Amino acid sequence: MDLKDKKILVVGLAKTGVAVTRFLAEAGAQVTITDMRDDEALKDVLAELADLDLCLELGRHVPYSFLMADLVVVSPGVPMDIKPLEMARAQRRRVVSEVELASWFIKAPMVAITGTNGKTTTTTLTGEIFKGCGFDTFVGGNIGNPLIELAMSGAEVERVVVELSSFQLEGIESFRPHVAVLLNLTEDHLDRYHSFQEYIDAKLRIFENQGADDYAVLNIDDPLVAACAGKLKAKLFPMSRFHELEEGISYRDGFITFAHNGKVLRFGTEGFRLKGVHNLDNIMAAMASTLLMRCDGECAYQTVKSFKGLPHRMEFVEEVNGVAYYEDSKGTNVGSVVKSLESFDSGITLIAGGKDKGGSYEPLAKLVSERVSHLVLIGEAKERMKEALGHLTDTRFAETLEEAVDMAHRLTEPGGVVLFSPACSSFDMFKNYEERANCFKAAVRAAKKEETGA
């Protein structure tokens, strides 16, 4: 698409909006930026764009700009159902997400990964396997760098790996990955979507434009994921921890087996540094994606064996008085916490809570009853979490995360585990999940220092 002299409206000026704006301006478009925040709130962001000739509409959305634009590009944090966007679509204005725009200018074969949990680990590992096997690879999307940065750089890469949120998928038209991965589906972002089904529908758009020459990697252990198999136009490539597959990738008795078109490869899992049953799903998805796109099996295997995982995802922090402390601040929804709890048999003190996202806590009930000895709740969601789970185990409130760690330190017997896996977003008490994670780690290390006198 020739962007020169096109009237293009960029809605939302976070990191993605900044990258989109620069790309469009450098391509010769007439760019207008609109954001509900004012220029004072956006002064640092605007400083990054000071060298560009832009029209700014800040602190408001001007309907005329939406109705007169040749193209409207929406940042992921902006809901697609706000009134100005609905008006624009009604007037047949073209409204797309950043990943759709970027895809028009990217020719390299692409793996796109979505799901409620595990996206970032799977995306990162997929990129590492491609790089380890000698492919010049861009990794981005909902992780790290926006996809538009690859289009802007003009770099000639051989593989693209992109993590996609449901928000990004809402605004696609022709976006078509060669391999699309759906890891799992559990309730999330119900503070944005009107229903769980609406959220699922957004996720499933990852397969929308695939054809018979493409692959859809589905975790068939998840019944909601498995249910979409019959709707695919791409070749189904299933993955499972519970079933041996004649075609697909599966796990049994310490071995991952990749079977495709009569070719069978087996990989022992004993030496993997990435622990947890949920990470077997992430590893299988990454291996399936890369092996389907011409990576050597032994090379892929060696990369997986050396991969340590990512910060804030079931990260071991310290052992204090015989108790292991794990930080899982990225566990911002119930499905993620289910997988984290499954990694330990019993003796868990679970610290949870934060800004409620509107979903049910019921999927945690069985695991809390069977494995959690103490439940320490914080944040806005604590009352609702207590109502759902408090009768299942010893349950207490803490006003701060530091107080929660101190309480867990006193409650947990040697040999037990303190797991911080919130099942909620961080925005009631913290700037983001990273700040929340660092607060937890600091509190744990302070407890260790007090315990040892160091």
Side-chain angles (χ1 to χ4, degrees):
M1 180 181 180
D2 184 8
L3 301 173
K4 187 170 175 58
D5 296 325
K6 291 286 192 300
K7 296 177 182 177
I8 303 181
L9 180 67
V10 177
V11 186
L13 201 53
K15 182 177 181 179
T16 296
V18 169
V20 168
T21 298
R22 183 163 293 281
F23 172 77
L24 294 171
E26 292 180 358
Q30 299 175 32
V31 183
T32 298
I33 299 170
T34 182
D35 196 298
M36 291 302 292
R37 293 170 292 174
D38 61 21
D39 52 359
E40 176 62 27
L42 291 167
K43 62 181 180 180
D44 292 340
V45 175
L46 293 172
E48 298 180 46
L49 300 171
D51 59 317
L52 301 178
D53 182 16
L54 305 168
C55 177
L56 303 179
E57 296 177 353
L58 305 178
R60 70 199 192 285
H61 290 321
V62 180
Y64 178 84
S65 298
F66 286 78
L67 298 176
M68 298 305 295
D70 297 312
L71 178 68
V72 180
V73 184
V74 185
S75 295
V78 179
M80 281 287 188
D81 62 354
I82 62 171
K83 189 172 181 179
L85 289 175
E86 290 182 338
M87 292 169 57
R89 285 191 291 267
Q91 293 298 313
R92 298 188 179 277
R93 300 296 93 185
R94 198 173 185 185
V95 178
V96 301
S97 63
E98 169 263 342
V99 294
E100 173 67 23
L101 173 68
S103 71
W104 301 343
F105 303 92
I106 294 171
K107 304 303 180 189
M110 184 183 298
V111 176
I113 297 163
T114 197
T116 307
N117 300 302
K119 296 186 297 297
T120 303
T121 297
T122 304
T123 301
T124 304
L125 178 55
T126 302
E128 290 299 305
I129 293 172
F130 277 134
K131 293 172 186 176
C133 293
F135 292 98
D136 190 1
T137 304
F138 174 88
V139 180
N142 197 47
I143 169 181
N145 300 320
L147 191 59
I148 198 69
E149 291 191 1
L150 174 60
M152 185 161 49
S153 73
E156 294 290 333
V157 298
E158 297 171 291
R159 296 288 185 270
V160 175
V161 186
V162 58
E163 174 187 320
L164 295 178
S165 69
S166 56
F167 303 162
Q168 291 167 310
L169 286 163
E170 288 173 25
I172 66 167
E173 290 180 351
S174 59
F175 177 82
R176 178 182 176 179
H178 181 50
V179 175
V181 179
L182 180 56
L183 294 166
N184 43 60
L185 290 167
T186 58
E187 285 188 343
D188 200 9
H189 300 301
L190 296 187
D191 50 350
R192 169 153 166 166
Y193 293 104
H194 298 113
S195 68
F196 184 26
Q197 187 60 52
E198 189 176 291
Y199 167 72
I200 292 171
D201 291 343
K203 289 289 193 186
L204 295 183
R205 295 199 69 191
I206 196 170
F207 306 113
E208 190 170 288
N209 300 303
Q210 286 192 298
D213 294 332
D214 301 316
Y215 291 95
V217 177
L218 300 186
N219 178 7
I220 62 169
D221 295 338
D222 184 316
L224 292 174
V225 174
C228 77
K231 306 171 188 175
L232 301 172
K233 292 173 281 187
K235 299 170 189 170
L236 170 63
F237 196 81
M239 53 177 271
S240 177
R241 276 190 284 119
F242 304 138
H243 308 284
E244 288 187 90
L245 302 173
E246 292 185 6
E247 176 78 10
I249 191 164
S250 53
Y251 170 80
R252 182 162 183 171
D253 298 333
F255 285 87
I256 289 172
T257 301
F258 172 88
H260 179 52
N261 289 344
K263 179 181 180 180
V264 177
L265 302 173
R266 298 187 79 222
F267 308 98
T269 62
E270 187 176 344
F272 289 176
R273 302 175 74 175
L274 197 59
K275 303 297 185 184
V277 291
H278 58 294
N279 278 321
L280 281 172
D281 292 341
N282 301 333
I283 290 167
M284 287 194 293
M287 294 190 78
S289 301
T290 51
L291 294 173
L292 287 169
M293 291 179 65
R294 295 178 37 223
C295 278
D296 173 74
E298 183 59 27
C299 173
Y301 181 50
Q302 293 303 323
T303 303
V304 172
K305 287 177 71 174
S306 63
F307 186 70
K308 296 179 181 178
L310 301 174
H312 316 315
R313 294 159 181 84
M314 285 295 289
E315 181 181 0
F316 174 73
V317 180
E318 296 278 359
E319 182 174 305
V320 183
N321 193 30
V323 174
Y325 287 73
Y326 286 86
E327 180 264 299
D328 189 36
S329 184
K330 196 66 167 64
T332 58
N333 59 66
V334 170
S336 178
V337 180
V338 166
K339 293 181 180 296
S340 298
L341 289 173
E342 287 176 344
S343 299
F344 307 101
D345 292 330
S346 62
I348 304 169
T349 297
L350 174 64
I351 301 174
K355 182 174 174 57
D356 188 73
K357 298 173 81 171
S360 170
Y361 296 107
E362 184 59 31
L364 292 170
K366 188 173 187 293
L367 287 164
V368 168
S369 176
E370 293 175 352
R371 307 189 187 197
V372 175
S373 302
H374 307 285
L375 179 61
V376 181
L377 299 174
I378 61 171
E380 290 178 4
K382 62 187 178 185
E383 293 285 355
R384 198 162 85 84
M385 294 186 82
K386 183 182 180 182
E387 184 178 341
L389 305 170
H391 62 288
L392 300 171
T393 191
D394 173 51
T395 301
R396 306 172 187 229
F397 286 161
E399 292 303 312
T400 66
L401 184 51
E402 292 89 346
E403 182 186 343
V405 171
D406 180 65
M407 196 176 291
H409 176 63
R410 289 184 280 106
L411 290 170
T412 312
E413 298 290 332
V417 168
V418 174
L419 171 63
F420 175 47
S421 193
C424 300
S425 69
S426 58
F427 303 122
D428 58 335
M429 299 169 71
F430 300 95
K431 181 171 66 177
N432 51 42
Y433 74 85
E434 292 99 332
E435 182 181 73
R436 177 169 68 179
N438 290 334
C439 177
F440 175 77
K441 290 178 180 178
V444 172
R445 286 165 184 153
K448 182 169 185 176
K449 186 175 182 180
E450 182 178 323
E451 188 73 32
T452 61

